[in-house]
Each structure stands twice: as structure tokens, then as C-alpha cells.
Amino acid sequence: MKKPELLVTPQSIEHITALLEAGADAFVIGEQKFGLRLAGDFTVAQVEEATKLIHAAGKKVYVAVNALFHNDRLDALDEYLVQMQRIGVDALLFGDPAVIIAVRENNVTVPLHWNPETIATNFFQVNYWGERGSKRAVLARELSVDEVIEIKEKTKHEIEVQVHGMTCMFQSKRSLLGNYFLYRDEAMEIENRKENKNMFLHDKERKNKYPIYEDMNGTHIFSPNDMCIIEELNELFEAGIDSFKIDGVLQTFDYTVTVTKLYRQAIDTYFDQGEDAYDEIKTGLFEQIEAIQPALRPLDTGFIYKETVY
């Protein structure tokens, strides 16, 4: 067994430095114009600076181009992909097949990671996109551990799963918040909406609050709870899952750094000292995360241990 990659989502160059010290192996960065739900917005110049910093530490940088591309963005996408090739990033995350066409037409050789959010649910899809150039599949967060393991067993491609953070439940290309505030005769700058950490949809019937923000890609609504499976990593270790992702969107700088340190400790303990050593510390690791968890973001295990009903 090899250690899984610990993948994180930094907010800035400064955050990358802190996360490298915390033990991160790889980073997802990018620009809002091309990538969805990024923890930070990186210009091309900042991607280049970040790539030099990350590569100097012997780690990897993945750039998100997983937005939905209408015709008005395709020329800009071509130019962006050529720039990413020049910079030498380690992979491109995509969901829209337009990216595959653009990569071919522009002779871009950067490896691809298929990330269609909720629809990466079976090994046939993983193999299909693997045959079309994808090195890795980012699995849907709605899968159980048994489904994740089955996919890993039946594909030769790398598999990435989320182990921590919030999950996007809904995205609309429409400006739903903007329309709402217009209806209320109120004004709110789009640029500030993602920065406002206290915007929620309140479901009184379910007693849930769903984080929501709007950017140039539309409106994004997230799960009421944060996924945390730091106590339940054994089966994923044994299955040989290639990458564990900590999604830090809408989280604070320090929170993501602390969580990264704790998952680094979990991974290293299991692989360096054995399963028993990991079992001894895993509850303590969870309790340390629970202690810093925002009150409005309860922790659960997501869908990983939910029974699938067919």
C-alpha cells in the first residue's frame, strides 16, 4: 500500500506556505472564471508563483477548469490552458468535455482529472473518461464506502475522494441571490457574496441552515453539515484510494491548516506505525477537529456509511 495524497484547497499564496508546513501533498487552485467553488481566486500570475513554490517543496498543483463553458468563454479557455501548459502545472480538473477538445486543439499535454461533481458514480464512467485522456476521477460525494471500493477495484485509473469539508448540493447558472435582492428592492455587490460567511438558507422544517453564495458561475448551495471521516479511514487506506481531499471552501485560514495537520498525522500514523496505532489516536484527532468546528457547521460522515437503496 502507498500513502494517499493529501489534497487541499488554499485561499492564497500565504495559505499555501502554511499548508505545506502542515503536510499537504497537493493543491487545487484556479480562477473563478474557469473553476467552480474555489477556496481562493488565483490569477495566472499567482498560479505561476504558487506553482514555483509548490514544486520547490516537491508537491503538486492542480488547476481547476471545471466550470461549464458556454461559447462566450471558449476563446479565453484556450488561452488559459496554453498558459497552464507554459507554467507547468501537474493536472487540470475538468467536467465539461469542451476542455478535452480545447486541450487537443491547443496541443496541451497537462494530465487531466475528471471532476463532474455529482455524476462520477461508477467504474464504467471512470474507465470511459480514462480512455479519453483522464488520469484520475474525482468521485461523487454521495457514494458509500462499498461503492467507492468497487470503483477502485474495477479501474486502473487514480481515484480521489473527499474526506473533509462541505458538499455542494445545488448549483444554478442563474443569479438567484441577485434576483432575490432585486425583488426585495435591496442591493448587494456580487463580489462580496462569497466573502459573507453568514449567508444561509434556513429550512425551519428540517432545522437546517444551508450556506449559499453567488459568483460569476451562478448560485451555489451547500450541505448543512461538514463531512469528517478522520475516524473511518481504514477501509479507504486498505482499498488503495489515491487521493484524500480536504475541501476548505468557506472555511477560515487557520481551520484548514489545523485540519490538514490532523489528517497528515492520521495518514502517517497508519502507514508508518500500523493500523493499531492509528486506531488508538483517531478518536482524539476527531475531538480536536470538533473543538474548532464552527457552531453552525455540525460534523457527520456524509454519505460514506449510508446504505444505498436501489
Side-chain angles (χ1 to χ4, degrees):
M1 286 191 296
K2 66 174 182 178
K3 287 185 182 181
E5 170 188 86
L6 186 56
L7 177 63
V8 297
T9 57
Q11 300 171 5
S12 61
I13 301 293
E14 181 186 10
H15 205 200
I16 289 173
T17 300
L19 289 166
L20 283 169
E21 293 175 358
D25 296 314
F27 300 80
V28 175
I29 60 176
E31 190 173 336
Q32 181 187 127
K33 185 175 181 180
F34 304 101
L36 296 178
R37 292 176 286 279
L38 296 162
D41 203 23
F42 288 72
T43 64
V44 170
Q46 289 171 326
V47 169
E48 186 165 10
E49 181 183 356
T51 300
K52 291 177 180 177
L53 177 64
I54 293 165
H55 283 174
K59 308 302 181 181
K60 295 184 177 181
V61 53
Y62 308 143
V63 171
V65 285
N66 58 337
L68 299 176
F69 294 104
H70 291 188
N71 290 341
D72 60 345
R73 291 199 206 179
L74 291 180
D75 288 342
L77 174 64
D78 288 343
E79 182 179 346
Y80 190 72
L81 293 175
V82 170
Q83 290 292 336
M84 295 304 105
Q85 170 96 342
R86 177 187 63 80
I87 291 168
V89 302
D90 296 288
L92 300 167
L93 276 68
F94 80 99
D96 192 326
V99 174
I100 290 183
I101 303 301
V103 163
R104 291 175 181 171
E105 291 180 348
N106 291 281
N107 297 315
V108 173
T109 58
V110 180
L112 297 173
H113 292 177
W114 181 56
N115 178 21
E117 297 291 335
T118 59
I119 66 171
T121 58
N122 62 75
F123 68 88
F124 178 85
Q125 293 171 300
V126 173
N127 291 333
Y128 176 89
W129 289 106
E131 291 168 0
R132 284 150 184 80
S134 175
K135 176 184 177 184
R136 173 185 294 183
V138 181
L139 297 189
R141 287 76 169 161
E142 293 80 7
L143 297 178
S144 70
V145 67
D146 291 336
E147 290 167 324
V148 169
I149 292 171
E150 180 186 17
I151 292 171
K152 179 58 182 173
E153 289 175 345
K154 294 182 178 180
T155 182
K156 62 183 179 181
H157 305 291
E158 292 181 6
I159 296 297
E160 177 188 314
V161 299
Q162 183 175 328
V163 295
H164 196 93
M166 61 177 64
T167 299
C168 182
M169 297 171 54
F170 172 85
Q171 178 192 355
S172 171
K173 290 283 285 185
R174 293 175 293 169
S175 301
L176 300 182
L177 284 172
N179 294 339
Y180 171 75
F181 285 114
L182 285 172
Y183 176 76
R184 293 280 304 270
D185 290 326
E186 298 176 17
M188 192 177 210
E189 291 294 329
I190 288 179
E191 289 78 13
N192 294 331
R193 288 180 185 150
K194 186 176 178 181
E195 302 306 318
N196 188 336
K197 303 297 193 298
N198 296 313
M199 294 189 70
F200 297 91
L201 287 178
H202 189 192
D203 185 338
K204 293 183 179 180
E205 183 179 345
R206 294 182 175 87
K207 298 181 180 179
N208 283 332
K209 292 184 178 181
Y210 303 92
I212 179 173
Y213 73 80
E214 180 183 307
D215 62 12
M216 69 180 300
N217 292 301
T219 307
H220 311 263
I221 303 174
F222 294 86
S223 58
N225 297 349
D226 277 351
M227 179 184 191
C228 176
I229 58 171
I230 199 166
E231 289 186 282
E232 289 87 13
L233 297 173
N234 305 61
E235 291 181 274
L236 299 179
F237 286 143
E238 293 168 7
I241 300 303
D242 301 276
S243 183
F244 289 176
K245 182 181 181 182
I246 296 170
D247 197 329
V249 65
L250 298 184
Q251 302 287 10
T252 66
F253 183 111
D254 292 335
Y255 176 90
T256 306
V257 172
T258 300
V259 169
T260 300
K261 287 180 181 177
L262 295 174
Y263 275 89
R264 177 80 273 158
Q265 184 179 351
I267 293 169
D268 289 348
T269 299
Y270 184 95
F271 284 88
D272 297 343
Q273 301 177 40
E275 185 174 5
D276 290 343
Y278 164 70
D279 288 340
E280 288 178 7
I281 67 165
K282 64 184 183 181
T283 299
L285 297 178
F286 174 79
E287 290 172 349
Q288 290 181 65
I289 294 177
E290 196 172 38
I292 62 169
Q293 188 67 18
L296 290 172
R297 303 290 308 155
L299 293 171
D300 65 18
T301 56
F303 289 84
I304 202 77
Y305 289 109
K306 291 193 176 180
E307 183 179 355
T308 302
V309 179
Y310 296 100

